[in-house]
Amino acid sequence: MNRVDKLLKDIKALKVQGARNVAKAGICAIIWTVEDSKAKTKEQLIEELRRARGKIMHVRPTEPMLRNMMRESVDFAISEIAGRPAASVEAIKRKVIRDEEEYLCRMDAAMANIAEFGAMLLPEKGMVVTHCHSSTVTGILKRAKKDGKKISVVCCETRPRFQGRITAAELAKAGMDVTITVDMGLNKFMKKADLVLVGADAITAMGDLINKVGTSSVARIARMNDVSFYSAAELYKYDPLTLYGEREEIEERDPKEVWERPPRGVKVSNPAFDATAARYINGYITEMGVVPPQALSSIAMKKLKGGL
Ligand code: RUB
């Protein structure tokens, strides 16, 4: 198995998890495709890039950030190749790799902005509830700590794959006050929470949020307790297809993740994500600032250069 296929297998198996990490891995897979390419002509290189993009885009269905970045970066690479008729194939490969690395740098810059905006939103001292593991959320929380804020964090364990443990371990390592609870154990904490902060896998044209299954219940519990609910998301999480009425496909994962050998007659449901309606969301923390769900679509469309 070549290293690109191995990486895609790791994404499928959640060894690489979270929308940003998956999108970064997608860019990395394009870089490796070019590094390992045997293409002798530009046409062959374009064909290899298109084939790799097709494979990468479909590795996790509910990840518009991956799709958007694959569309944009590979389209850009193809236009660069076409626009340099005099350049050698080797020179073109080097250029494509540099451009893809630029995408990774821009992702880091966007993350730094989100961390700054998010940290400003948090109180000087207080409790934040989160769900699953979002690198964007942990980035904000660590930035808040660096800014001197005293934040305690409660995270759900996030069955069946326990991504909450990744969050808890990461924040504890960063020296933060963190508690993990069973997924339905939030009630006790929500009464005292100042804010809920979750990540995003997809955002629809209506401003609805698709994130780890259970997020919509967390949002409802927050609303019942009058606690503000924010999602931290790069604008690439927006899915432009939803502007045309397309529904976000929710990934259904292997039932064995829930119950290895259930008794005969027991059906197992294992959706990876669920949808939280915009009305439960106070705002999205993006690289352009904190925006209400209703405004996200128009701001995101400006960033997604290729649109669809
Ligand atoms: C992860 C998850 C995260 C988002 C955002 O689900 O739902 O909240 O992907 O993460 P899974 P990030 O573990 O199934 O990938 O902020 O890192 O993009």
Side-chain angles (χ1 to χ4, degrees):
M1 188 183 291
N2 65 39
R3 57 178 174 162
V4 171
D5 288 340
K6 162 92 174 57
L7 182 56
L8 298 188
K9 202 165 156 236
D10 285 351
I11 296 174
K12 194 88 206 155
L14 287 187
K15 286 187 187 152
V16 179
Q17 66 78 228
R20 286 184 75 252
N21 290 333
V22 168
K24 276 187 167 177
I27 296 284
C28 197
I30 292 291
I31 292 175
W32 288 351
T33 300
V34 179
E35 279 178 357
D36 299 347
S37 163
K38 303 260 180 304
K40 295 273 173 282
T41 66
K42 290 174 195 164
E43 290 69 29
Q44 284 170 355
L45 183 60
I46 291 177
E47 189 44 40
E48 281 180 3
L49 281 169
R50 286 212 171 104
R51 228 176 309 122
R53 170 169 67 181
K55 265 203 310 201
I56 298 164
M57 271 169 69
H58 296 106
V59 71
R60 286 201 76 184
T62 316
E63 298 296 3
M65 182 166 196
L66 176 69
R67 291 200 296 272
N68 290 331
M69 294 196 77
M70 286 298 108
R71 268 195 208 104
E72 191 182 304
S73 71
V74 173
D75 277 354
F76 183 70
I78 292 172
S79 70
E80 284 290 289
I81 298 169
R84 287 162 194 263
S88 70
V89 176
E90 287 315 308
I92 283 287
K93 284 181 186 170
R94 285 196 295 276
K95 171 79 171 80
V96 172
I97 291 169
R98 275 202 306 278
D99 290 341
E100 296 294 324
E101 284 168 351
E102 258 304 297
Y103 273 95
L104 296 177
C105 292
R106 285 203 290 272
M107 277 179 86
D108 288 343
M111 179 61 230
N113 282 352
I114 295 176
E116 189 178 343
F117 291 128
M120 278 195 294
L121 203 67
L122 300 186
E124 287 304 317
K125 187 173 184 303
M127 182 192 282
V128 171
V129 166
T130 189
H131 183 58
C132 195
H133 174 261
S134 153
S135 60
T136 323
V137 168
T138 54
I140 291 175
L141 294 168
K142 289 193 272 190
R143 169 67 198 253
K145 177 170 173 15
K146 202 165 146 228
D147 291 351
K149 297 195 171 183
K150 306 259 177 298
I151 304 292
S152 63
V153 181
V154 175
C155 55
C156 306
E157 59 180 355
T158 318
R159 278 192 54 84
R161 295 296 298 258
F162 300 107
Q163 289 94 329
R165 292 180 186 175
I166 306 174
T167 304
E170 184 181 332
L171 296 179
K173 193 166 170 218
M176 295 192 69
D177 175 347
V178 58
T179 304
I180 194 163
T181 178
V182 293
D183 286 338
M184 289 290 133
L186 267 185
N187 244 346
K188 177 173 135 190
F189 297 98
M190 198 63 93
K191 296 182 189 88
K192 294 177 274 177
D194 294 282
L195 197 117
V196 175
L197 191 53
V198 294
D201 283 279
I203 303 167
T204 73
M206 303 291 284
D208 296 343
L209 165 69
I210 316 293
N211 193 50
K212 179 54 59 194
V213 66
T215 302
S216 65
S217 306
V218 176
R220 285 191 181 88
I221 298 171
R223 180 57 54 91
M224 282 163 68
N225 288 279
D226 203 20
V227 172
S228 300
F229 180 100
Y230 288 90
S231 166
E234 247 176 270
L235 292 169
Y236 276 118
K237 306 273 178 88
Y238 173 65
D239 185 352
L241 288 171
T242 57
L243 197 56
Y244 302 94
E246 195 126 324
R247 282 176 75 99
E248 203 56 59
E249 185 190 341
I250 303 283
E251 178 188 359
E252 185 68 34
R253 295 187 59 86
D254 188 345
K256 287 194 170 48
E257 288 184 348
V258 178
W259 200 347
E260 183 80 39
R261 276 186 294 277
R264 195 190 299 266
V266 174
K267 295 184 216 133
V268 179
S269 163
N270 187 17
F273 304 104
D274 67 16
T276 301
R279 66 178 180 280
Y280 291 104
I281 302 167
N282 293 75
Y284 285 102
I285 307 167
T286 76
E287 63 272 37
M288 305 286 283
V290 182
V291 302
Q294 296 75 10
L296 191 122
S297 168
S298 58
I299 297 170
M301 282 308 265
K302 289 196 188 102
K303 174 149 183 174
L304 302 186
K305 298 191 189 80
L308 294 180

